[in-house]
Coordinates of all heavy atoms in Angstrom, one line a residue:
M1 N 11.4 59.4 -30.8 CA 11.6 60.4 -29.7 C 10.9 61.8 -30.3 O 10.3 62.5 -29.5 CB 13.0 60.7 -29.4 CG 13.8 59.6 -28.7 SD 13.0 59.3 -27.0 CE 13.7 60.8 -26.1
L2 N 11.0 62.1 -31.6 CA 10.4 63.3 -32.1 C 9.0 63.3 -31.9 O 8.3 64.4 -31.9 CB 10.9 63.4 -33.6 CG 12.3 63.8 -33.8 CD1 12.6 63.7 -35.4 CD2 12.7 65.1 -33.3
D3 N 8.3 62.1 -31.9 CA 6.8 62.1 -31.8 C 6.4 62.2 -30.5 O 5.1 62.3 -30.2 CB 6.3 60.8 -32.5 CG 6.6 60.8 -34.0 OD1 6.7 61.8 -34.6 OD2 6.8 59.7 -34.6
L4 N 7.2 62.1 -29.4 CA 6.7 62.1 -28.0 C 6.3 63.6 -27.7 O 6.9 64.5 -28.0 CB 7.8 61.7 -27.1 CG 8.3 60.3 -27.2 CD1 9.4 59.9 -26.3 CD2 7.0 59.4 -26.9
R5 N 5.2 63.6 -27.0 CA 4.7 64.8 -26.4 C 5.4 65.2 -25.2 O 5.5 64.3 -24.3 CB 3.2 64.8 -26.2 CG 2.3 65.3 -27.4 CD 0.9 65.4 -27.0 NE 0.4 64.3 -26.0 CZ -0.1 64.4 -24.8 NH1 -0.1 65.7 -24.4 NH2 -0.5 63.5 -24.1
R6 N 5.6 66.5 -25.0 CA 6.2 67.0 -23.6 C 5.0 67.1 -22.7 O 4.1 67.9 -23.0 CB 7.0 68.2 -23.7 CG 7.6 68.7 -22.5 CD 8.7 69.7 -22.8 NE 9.2 70.2 -21.5 CZ 8.9 71.4 -21.0 NH1 8.0 72.2 -21.6 NH2 9.3 71.8 -19.8
T7 N 5.0 66.4 -21.6 CA 3.8 66.4 -20.7 C 4.0 67.4 -19.5 O 3.1 67.7 -18.8 CB 3.4 65.1 -20.2 OG1 4.6 64.6 -19.4 CG2 3.1 64.2 -21.2
G8 N 5.2 67.9 -19.3 CA 5.5 68.7 -18.1 C 6.9 68.8 -17.8 O 7.7 68.2 -18.4
G9 N 7.2 69.5 -16.7 CA 8.6 69.5 -16.3 C 8.7 70.4 -15.1 O 7.8 71.0 -14.7
W10 N 9.9 70.4 -14.6 CA 10.2 71.4 -13.4 C 11.7 71.7 -13.5 O 12.5 71.0 -14.2 CB 9.9 70.7 -12.1 CG 10.5 69.3 -11.9 CD1 9.9 68.1 -12.2 CD2 11.8 69.0 -11.4 NE1 10.7 67.1 -11.8 CE2 11.9 67.6 -11.3 CE3 12.8 69.8 -10.9 CZ2 13.1 67.0 -10.9 CZ3 13.9 69.2 -10.4 CH2 14.1 67.8 -10.4
A11 N 12.0 72.7 -12.8 CA 13.4 73.2 -12.9 C 13.8 73.8 -11.5 O 12.9 74.2 -10.7 CB 13.6 74.3 -13.9
G12 N 15.0 73.7 -11.2 CA 15.5 74.3 -9.9 C 16.9 74.9 -10.1 O 17.7 74.3 -10.7
P13 N 17.1 76.1 -9.5 CA 18.4 76.7 -9.8 C 19.4 76.1 -8.7 O 19.1 75.7 -7.6 CB 18.2 78.2 -9.5 CG 17.0 78.2 -8.5 CD 16.1 76.9 -8.8
Y14 N 20.6 76.0 -9.2 CA 21.7 75.7 -8.2 C 22.1 77.0 -7.4 O 22.2 78.1 -8.0 CB 23.0 75.3 -9.0 CG 22.9 73.8 -9.5 CD1 23.4 73.6 -10.8 CD2 22.4 72.8 -8.8 CE1 23.4 72.3 -11.3 CE2 22.4 71.5 -9.2 CZ 22.9 71.3 -10.5 OH 22.9 70.0 -11.0
E15 N 22.2 76.8 -6.2 CA 22.8 78.0 -5.5 C 24.3 77.9 -5.5 O 24.9 76.9 -5.3 CB 22.3 78.0 -4.0 CG 22.9 77.1 -3.1 CD 22.4 75.6 -3.2 OE1 21.8 75.3 -4.1 OE2 22.6 74.9 -2.3
N16 N 25.0 79.0 -5.9 CA 26.3 78.9 -6.3 C 27.1 80.0 -5.6 O 26.7 80.9 -5.0 CB 26.4 79.2 -7.9 CG 27.6 78.5 -8.5 OD1 28.4 77.9 -7.8 ND2 27.7 78.6 -9.8
T17 N 28.4 79.7 -5.5 CA 29.4 80.6 -5.0 C 30.5 80.9 -6.0 O 30.7 80.1 -6.9 CB 30.1 80.1 -3.7 OG1 30.9 78.9 -4.1 CG2 29.0 79.7 -2.6
P18 N 31.3 82.0 -5.9 CA 32.3 82.3 -6.8 C 33.3 81.1 -7.1 O 33.9 81.0 -8.2 CB 33.0 83.6 -6.3 CG 31.9 84.2 -5.4 CD 31.2 83.0 -4.8
D19 N 33.6 80.3 -6.1 CA 34.6 79.2 -6.3 C 34.0 77.9 -6.3 O 34.6 76.9 -6.3 CB 35.8 79.3 -5.2 CG 35.2 79.1 -3.8 OD1 33.9 78.9 -3.7 OD2 36.0 79.2 -2.9
H20 N 32.6 77.8 -6.3 CA 31.8 76.6 -6.4 C 31.9 75.7 -5.2 O 31.7 74.5 -5.4 CB 32.2 75.8 -7.8 CG 32.2 76.7 -9.0 ND1 31.1 77.3 -9.5 CD2 33.1 77.0 -9.8 CE1 31.3 78.0 -10.5 NE2 32.6 77.9 -10.8
H21 N 32.3 76.2 -4.1 CA 32.3 75.5 -2.8 C 31.3 76.1 -1.9 O 30.9 77.3 -2.0 CB 33.7 75.5 -2.2 CG 34.6 74.5 -2.8 ND1 34.4 73.2 -2.8 CD2 35.8 74.7 -3.6 CE1 35.4 72.6 -3.5 NE2 36.2 73.4 -4.0
A22 N 30.8 75.3 -1.0 CA 29.8 75.7 0.0 C 30.4 76.9 0.9 O 31.6 77.0 1.0 CB 29.3 74.5 0.8
L23 N 29.4 77.5 1.6 CA 29.7 78.4 2.6 C 29.2 77.8 3.9 O 28.0 77.7 4.1 CB 29.0 79.8 2.3 CG 29.4 80.6 1.1 CD1 28.5 81.7 0.9 CD2 30.8 81.1 1.3
I24 N 30.1 77.5 4.8 CA 29.7 77.0 6.2 C 30.5 77.7 7.2 O 31.7 77.8 7.1 CB 30.0 75.5 6.2 CG1 29.4 74.7 5.0 CG2 29.5 74.9 7.5 CD1 29.7 73.2 5.0
G25 N 29.8 78.2 8.3 CA 30.5 78.8 9.3 C 29.6 79.6 10.2 O 28.4 79.6 10.1
E26 N 30.3 80.4 11.0 CA 29.5 81.4 11.9 C 30.0 82.8 11.6 O 31.3 83.0 11.5 CB 29.7 81.1 13.4 CG 29.0 82.0 14.3 CD 28.9 81.5 15.7 OE1 29.3 80.4 16.0 OE2 28.2 82.2 16.5
A27 N 29.0 83.7 11.3 CA 29.4 85.0 11.0 C 30.3 85.7 12.0 O 30.0 85.5 13.2 CB 28.2 85.8 10.6
A28 N 31.3 86.5 11.6 CA 32.1 87.2 12.6 C 31.4 88.5 13.1 O 31.6 88.9 14.2 CB 33.5 87.6 12.0
S29 N 30.6 89.1 12.2 CA 30.1 90.4 12.4 C 28.6 90.4 12.9 O 28.1 91.4 13.4 CB 30.1 91.2 11.3 OG 29.6 90.6 10.1
V30 N 27.9 89.2 12.8 CA 26.5 89.2 13.3 C 26.4 88.0 14.3 O 26.7 86.9 14.0 CB 25.5 88.8 12.1 CG1 24.1 88.8 12.6 CG2 25.7 89.9 11.0
S31 N 26.1 88.4 15.5 CA 26.2 87.5 16.6 C 25.2 86.3 16.3 O 24.1 86.4 16.0 CB 25.6 88.2 17.9 OG 25.6 87.3 18.9
R32 N 25.8 85.1 16.6 CA 25.1 83.8 16.4 C 24.5 83.5 15.1 O 23.5 82.7 15.1 CB 24.0 83.6 17.6 CG 24.5 83.8 19.0 CD 25.7 82.8 19.5 NE 26.2 81.8 18.7 CZ 26.0 80.5 18.8 NH1 25.1 80.1 19.7 NH2 26.6 79.6 18.1
F33 N 25.0 84.1 14.1 CA 24.4 83.8 12.7 C 25.3 82.8 12.1 O 26.5 82.9 11.7 CB 24.5 85.2 11.8 CG 24.0 84.9 10.5 CD1 22.6 85.1 10.2 CD2 24.8 84.6 9.4 CE1 22.0 84.8 9.0 CE2 24.2 84.4 8.1 CZ 22.9 84.5 7.9
V34 N 24.8 81.5 12.2 CA 25.4 80.3 11.6 C 24.8 80.1 10.2 O 23.6 80.2 10.0 CB 25.2 79.1 12.5 CG1 25.7 77.9 11.9 CG2 25.7 79.4 13.9
Y35 N 25.7 79.8 9.3 CA 25.3 79.6 7.9 C 25.8 78.4 7.2 O 26.9 77.9 7.6 CB 25.7 80.9 7.0 CG 27.2 81.1 7.0 CD1 28.0 80.5 6.1 CD2 27.7 82.0 7.9 CE1 29.3 80.8 6.2 CE2 29.1 82.3 7.9 CZ 29.9 81.7 7.0 OH 31.3 81.9 7.1
A36 N 25.0 77.8 6.3 CA 25.4 76.7 5.5 C 24.6 76.8 4.2 O 23.4 76.5 4.2 CB 25.1 75.4 6.2
T37 N 25.2 77.2 3.2 CA 24.5 77.3 1.9 C 25.6 77.2 0.8 O 26.7 77.0 1.0 CB 23.9 78.8 1.9 OG1 23.0 78.9 0.8 CG2 24.9 79.9 1.9
G38 N 25.0 77.4 -0.5 CA 25.9 77.4 -1.6 C 26.5 76.0 -1.9 O 27.6 75.9 -2.4
F39 N 25.7 74.9 -1.7 CA 26.2 73.7 -2.0 C 26.2 73.2 -3.4 O 26.6 72.1 -3.8 CB 25.4 72.6 -1.1 CG 25.6 72.8 0.3 CD1 24.8 73.5 1.1 CD2 26.6 72.1 0.9 CE1 25.0 73.7 2.5 CE2 26.9 72.2 2.2 CZ 26.1 73.0 3.1
R40 N 25.7 74.1 -4.2 CA 25.5 73.8 -5.7 C 24.9 72.4 -5.9 O 23.8 72.2 -5.3 CB 27.0 73.9 -6.3 CG 27.0 74.1 -7.8 CD 28.3 74.3 -8.4 NE 28.3 74.0 -9.8 CZ 28.0 74.9 -10.8 NH1 27.7 76.1 -10.5 NH2 28.2 74.6 -12.0
G41 N 25.5 71.5 -6.7 CA 24.8 70.2 -6.9 C 25.2 69.2 -5.9 O 25.0 68.0 -6.2
H42 N 25.7 69.5 -4.7 CA 26.1 68.5 -3.7 C 25.3 68.6 -2.4 O 25.8 68.1 -1.4 CB 27.6 68.7 -3.5 CG 28.4 68.7 -4.7 ND1 28.6 67.5 -5.4 CD2 29.1 69.7 -5.4 CE1 29.4 67.8 -6.4 NE2 29.7 69.1 -6.5
G43 N 24.3 69.4 -2.4 CA 23.6 69.7 -1.1 C 23.1 68.5 -0.4 O 23.1 68.4 0.8
F44 N 22.5 67.6 -1.1 CA 22.0 66.3 -0.4 C 23.1 65.5 0.0 O 23.1 64.9 1.1 CB 21.1 65.5 -1.5 CG 19.7 66.2 -1.7 CD1 19.3 66.4 -3.0 CD2 18.9 66.5 -0.7 CE1 18.1 67.0 -3.3 CE2 17.7 67.2 -0.9 CZ 17.3 67.4 -2.3
L45 N 24.2 65.3 -0.9 CA 25.3 64.5 -0.5 C 25.9 65.0 0.8 O 26.3 64.2 1.7 CB 26.3 64.5 -1.7 CG 27.5 63.7 -1.6 CD1 27.3 62.3 -1.9 CD2 28.6 64.3 -2.5
Q46 N 26.1 66.3 0.9 CA 26.8 66.8 2.1 C 26.0 67.2 3.3 O 26.5 67.5 4.3 CB 27.6 68.1 1.6 CG 28.6 67.8 0.5 CD 29.3 69.1 0.1 OE1 29.1 70.2 0.6 NE2 30.2 68.9 -0.9
A47 N 24.6 67.0 3.1 CA 23.7 67.5 4.1 C 24.0 66.8 5.5 O 23.9 67.4 6.6 CB 22.3 67.2 3.7
P48 N 24.2 65.4 5.6 CA 24.4 64.8 6.9 C 25.6 65.4 7.7 O 25.5 65.7 8.8 CB 24.6 63.3 6.6 CG 23.9 63.1 5.3 CD 24.2 64.4 4.5
A49 N 26.7 65.6 7.0 CA 27.8 66.2 7.6 C 27.6 67.6 7.9 O 28.0 68.1 9.0 CB 29.1 66.0 6.7
A50 N 27.1 68.3 7.0 CA 26.8 69.7 7.2 C 25.9 69.9 8.4 O 26.1 70.9 9.2 CB 26.2 70.4 6.0
G51 N 24.9 69.1 8.5 CA 24.0 69.2 9.7 C 24.7 69.0 11.0 O 24.4 69.8 12.0
E52 N 25.6 68.1 11.0 CA 26.4 67.8 12.2 C 27.2 69.1 12.6 O 27.4 69.4 13.8 CB 27.2 66.5 12.2 CG 26.4 65.3 12.2 CD 27.2 64.1 12.5 OE1 28.3 64.2 13.1 OE2 26.8 62.9 12.1
V53 N 27.9 69.6 11.6 CA 28.8 70.8 11.8 C 27.9 72.0 12.4 O 28.3 72.6 13.2 CB 29.5 71.2 10.5 CG1 30.1 72.5 10.6 CG2 30.6 70.1 10.2
I54 N 26.7 72.2 11.6 CA 25.9 73.3 12.1 C 25.4 73.1 13.5 O 25.4 74.1 14.3 CB 24.7 73.5 11.0 CG1 25.2 73.9 9.7 CG2 23.6 74.4 11.6 CD1 26.0 75.3 9.8
R55 N 25.1 71.9 13.8 CA 24.6 71.6 15.2 C 25.7 72.0 16.2 O 25.5 72.7 17.2 CB 24.3 70.1 15.3 CG 24.0 69.7 16.8 CD 24.3 68.2 17.0 NE 25.7 67.9 16.8 CZ 26.2 66.7 16.5 NH1 25.3 65.7 16.3 NH2 27.5 66.5 16.3
D56 N 27.0 71.6 15.9 CA 28.1 71.8 16.8 C 28.4 73.4 16.8 O 28.7 73.9 17.9 CB 29.4 71.1 16.3 CG 29.2 69.6 16.6 OD1 28.4 69.2 17.5 OD2 30.0 68.9 16.0
L57 N 28.4 74.0 15.7 CA 28.6 75.6 15.7 C 27.5 76.2 16.6 O 27.8 77.1 17.4 CB 28.6 76.0 14.3 CG 29.9 75.6 13.5 CD1 29.6 76.2 12.0 CD2 31.1 76.1 14.0
H58 N 26.3 75.8 16.3 CA 25.2 76.4 17.1 C 25.3 76.1 18.6 O 25.1 77.0 19.4 CB 23.9 75.8 16.6 CG 22.7 76.3 17.4 ND1 22.2 77.6 17.3 CD2 21.8 75.6 18.3 CE1 21.2 77.7 18.0 NE2 20.9 76.6 18.7
R59 N 25.9 75.0 19.0 CA 26.0 74.7 20.4 C 27.3 75.2 21.0 O 27.6 74.9 22.2 CB 25.8 73.2 20.7 CG 24.5 72.7 20.4 CD 24.3 71.2 20.7 NE 22.9 70.8 20.5 CZ 22.5 69.5 20.7 NH1 23.4 68.6 21.0 NH2 21.3 69.2 20.6
G60 N 28.1 75.9 20.1 CA 29.4 76.3 20.6 C 30.5 75.2 20.8 O 31.5 75.5 21.5
R61 N 30.3 74.1 20.1 CA 31.3 73.0 20.2 C 32.2 73.0 18.9 O 31.9 73.6 17.9 CB 30.6 71.6 20.2 CG 29.6 71.4 21.3 CD 29.1 69.9 21.1 NE 28.0 69.6 22.1 CZ 27.1 68.7 21.9 NH1 27.1 68.0 20.8 NH2 26.3 68.4 22.8
T62 N 33.4 72.4 19.1 CA 34.2 72.3 17.9 C 33.8 71.2 17.1 O 33.6 70.1 17.4 CB 35.7 71.9 18.4 OG1 36.2 73.0 19.3 CG2 36.7 71.9 17.2
P63 N 33.5 71.5 15.7 CA 32.9 70.5 14.8 C 33.9 69.4 14.6 O 35.1 69.5 14.8 CB 32.7 71.3 13.5 CG 32.6 72.7 13.9 CD 33.5 72.9 15.1
F64 N 33.4 68.2 14.2 CA 34.3 67.1 14.0 C 35.2 67.3 12.8 O 36.2 66.5 12.7 CB 33.4 65.8 13.8 CG 32.8 65.7 12.5 CD1 33.3 65.0 11.4 CD2 31.6 66.4 12.2 CE1 32.8 64.9 10.2 CE2 31.1 66.3 10.9 CZ 31.6 65.5 9.9
V65 N 35.0 68.3 11.9 CA 35.8 68.5 10.8 C 36.0 70.0 10.7 O 35.1 70.8 11.1 CB 35.2 68.0 9.6 CG1 33.9 68.6 9.2 CG2 36.2 68.1 8.3
D66 N 37.2 70.4 10.4 CA 37.5 71.9 10.3 C 36.9 72.5 9.0 O 37.3 72.2 8.0 CB 39.1 72.1 10.3 CG 39.4 73.6 10.1 OD1 38.6 74.4 10.4 OD2 40.6 73.8 9.8
V67 N 35.8 73.3 9.3 CA 35.2 73.9 8.2 C 35.6 75.3 7.9 O 35.2 76.1 7.2 CB 33.7 74.0 8.3 CG1 33.1 72.6 8.2 CG2 33.2 74.7 9.6
G68 N 36.8 75.8 8.6 CA 37.3 77.1 8.5 C 37.5 77.5 7.1 O 37.2 78.6 6.7
P69 N 38.2 76.6 6.3 CA 38.4 77.0 4.9 C 37.1 77.3 4.1 O 37.2 77.8 2.9 CB 39.1 75.7 4.3 CG 39.8 75.2 5.4 CD 38.8 75.4 6.6
L70 N 35.9 76.8 4.6 CA 34.7 77.0 3.9 C 34.0 78.2 4.4 O 32.8 78.5 3.9 CB 33.8 75.8 4.0 CG 34.2 74.5 3.3 CD1 33.4 73.4 3.7 CD2 34.4 74.7 1.8
G71 N 34.6 79.1 5.2 CA 34.0 80.2 5.8 C 33.9 81.4 4.6 O 34.7 81.3 3.8
V72 N 32.9 82.3 4.8 CA 32.7 83.3 3.9 C 34.0 84.2 3.8 O 34.2 84.9 2.8 CB 31.5 84.1 4.1 CG1 31.6 84.9 5.4 CG2 31.1 85.0 3.0
G73 N 34.8 84.2 4.9 CA 35.9 85.1 5.0 C 37.0 84.8 3.8 O 37.9 85.6 3.7
R74 N 36.9 83.6 3.3 CA 37.9 83.3 2.3 C 37.9 84.3 1.1 O 38.9 84.4 0.4 CB 37.7 81.9 1.7 CG 36.5 81.5 0.9 CD 36.4 80.0 0.6 NE 35.4 79.7 -0.3 CZ 34.2 79.2 0.0 NH1 33.9 79.2 1.3 NH2 33.3 78.9 -0.8
F75 N 36.7 84.8 0.8 CA 36.6 85.7 -0.3 C 37.2 87.2 0.0 O 37.9 87.7 -0.7 CB 35.1 85.8 -0.8 CG 34.6 84.6 -1.3 CD1 33.5 83.9 -0.6 CD2 35.1 84.0 -2.4 CE1 33.1 82.8 -1.0 CE2 34.6 82.7 -2.8 CZ 33.6 82.1 -2.2
A76 N 36.9 87.5 1.3 CA 37.5 88.8 1.7 C 39.0 88.7 1.8 O 39.7 89.7 1.5 CB 36.8 89.2 3.1
A77 N 39.5 87.5 2.1 CA 40.9 87.3 2.3 C 41.6 87.1 0.9 O 42.8 86.9 0.9 CB 41.2 86.2 3.3
G78 N 40.8 87.0 -0.1 CA 41.3 86.8 -1.5 C 41.9 85.3 -1.5 O 42.9 85.1 -2.2
A79 N 41.3 84.4 -0.8 CA 41.8 83.0 -0.7 C 40.7 82.1 -1.1 O 40.3 81.1 -0.3 CB 42.4 82.6 0.6
P80 N 39.9 82.2 -2.2 CA 39.0 81.2 -2.6 C 39.5 79.9 -2.9 O 40.8 79.8 -3.0 CB 38.4 81.8 -3.9 CG 39.5 82.6 -4.4 CD 40.2 83.2 -3.3
R81 N 38.8 78.8 -2.9 CA 39.2 77.5 -3.2 C 38.5 77.0 -4.5 O 37.6 76.3 -4.4 CB 38.9 76.5 -2.0 CG 39.3 77.1 -0.6 CD 38.7 76.3 0.5 NE 39.0 74.9 0.4 CZ 40.2 74.4 0.9 NH1 41.1 75.1 1.4 NH2 40.5 73.1 0.8
P82 N 39.2 77.5 -5.6 CA 38.5 77.1 -6.8 C 38.3 75.5 -7.1 O 39.2 74.9 -6.9 CB 39.5 77.7 -7.9 CG 40.2 78.7 -7.2 CD 40.4 78.1 -5.8
E83 N 37.1 75.3 -7.5 CA 36.7 73.8 -7.8 C 36.9 73.7 -9.3 O 36.3 74.3 -10.1 CB 35.3 73.5 -7.4 CG 34.7 72.2 -7.9 CD 35.6 71.1 -7.5 OE1 35.8 70.8 -6.2 OE2 36.1 70.3 -8.4
P84 N 37.8 72.8 -9.7 CA 38.1 72.6 -11.1 C 37.0 71.9 -11.9 O 36.9 72.0 -13.1 CB 39.4 71.9 -11.2 CG 39.5 71.1 -9.9 CD 38.8 72.0 -8.9
N85 N 36.2 71.1 -11.2 CA 35.2 70.3 -11.9 C 33.8 70.5 -11.2 O 33.3 69.6 -10.6 CB 35.6 68.8 -11.8 CG 36.9 68.5 -12.4 OD1 37.1 68.8 -13.6 ND2 37.8 68.0 -11.6
P86 N 33.3 71.7 -11.3 CA 32.0 72.0 -10.6 C 30.9 71.2 -11.3 O 30.8 71.0 -12.5 CB 31.8 73.5 -10.9 CG 32.7 73.9 -12.1 CD 33.8 72.9 -12.0
V87 N 30.0 70.7 -10.3 CA 28.8 69.9 -10.8 C 27.6 70.6 -10.1 O 27.6 70.9 -9.0 CB 28.9 68.5 -10.3 CG1 27.6 67.7 -10.6 CG2 30.1 67.8 -10.9
Ligands
FAD1 C1 18.1 70.0 -10.5 C2 18.9 69.8 -9.2 C3 19.4 68.6 -9.0 C4 20.2 68.3 -7.9 N1 20.7 67.1 -7.7 C5 21.5 66.8 -6.6 C6 22.1 65.5 -6.4 O1 21.9 64.6 -7.2 N2 22.8 65.3 -5.2 C7 23.0 66.3 -4.4 O2 23.7 66.1 -3.4 N3 22.5 67.5 -4.5 C8 21.7 67.8 -5.6 N4 21.2 69.1 -5.8 C9 21.6 70.1 -4.9 C10 20.6 70.1 -3.7 O3 19.3 70.0 -4.1 C11 20.9 71.4 -2.9 O4 22.3 71.7 -2.7 C12 20.2 71.4 -1.6 O5 18.8 71.2 -1.8 C13 20.4 72.7 -0.9 O6 19.8 72.6 0.4 P1 19.7 73.9 1.3 O7 18.9 73.4 2.5 O8 21.0 74.6 1.5 O9 18.8 74.9 0.4 P2 17.3 74.7 -0.2 O10 16.9 73.3 -0.3 O11 17.3 75.6 -1.4 O12 16.4 75.3 1.0 C14 16.3 76.7 1.3 C15 14.9 77.0 1.7 O13 14.9 78.2 2.2 C16 13.6 78.8 1.9 N5 13.8 80.3 1.8 C17 14.4 81.0 0.9 N6 14.4 82.3 1.2 C18 13.6 82.3 2.3 C19 13.3 83.4 3.1 N7 13.6 84.7 2.8 N8 12.5 83.2 4.2 C20 12.2 81.9 4.5 N9 12.6 80.8 3.8 C21 13.3 81.1 2.7 C22 13.4 78.2 0.4 O14 12.0 78.2 0.1 C23 13.8 76.7 0.7 O15 12.9 75.9 1.3 C24 20.4 69.3 -7.0 C25 19.9 70.6 -7.1 C26 19.2 70.8 -8.2 C27 18.6 72.2 -8.5

């Protein structure tokens, strides 16, 4: 291994949140601002479900799963959901 040449590489940053969980919801203070970000190392895994939720929020429908606990308001309310095993 020591003799192998490094031919190149790439890197990408994880987008992170203080409690290591995603931010999904609709902003209370900016009209029709729907957000889904901060997925850290799970963004591909959660993308199909997140996409359906965002579609429903955008159309004013109730999403198939309650994403209220993932709203940005959890930080203002002092109720983060700490992830013990962030990846
Ligand atoms: C090294 C690495 C390995 C990973 N491995 C996995 C894995 O195995 N499984 C898994 O589920 N997830 C994995 N992830 C996480 C996954 O890649 C991300 O969670 C996912 O890509 C996030 O998707 P996104 O659409 O939220 O954001 P992004 O994919 O980051 O998309 C955001 C887009 O917005 C654009 N943008 C930014 N600012 C602006 C602006 N001002 N105006 C216009 N456009 C803008 C960016 O160019 C980008 O195209 C990995 C991430 C990394 C870095």
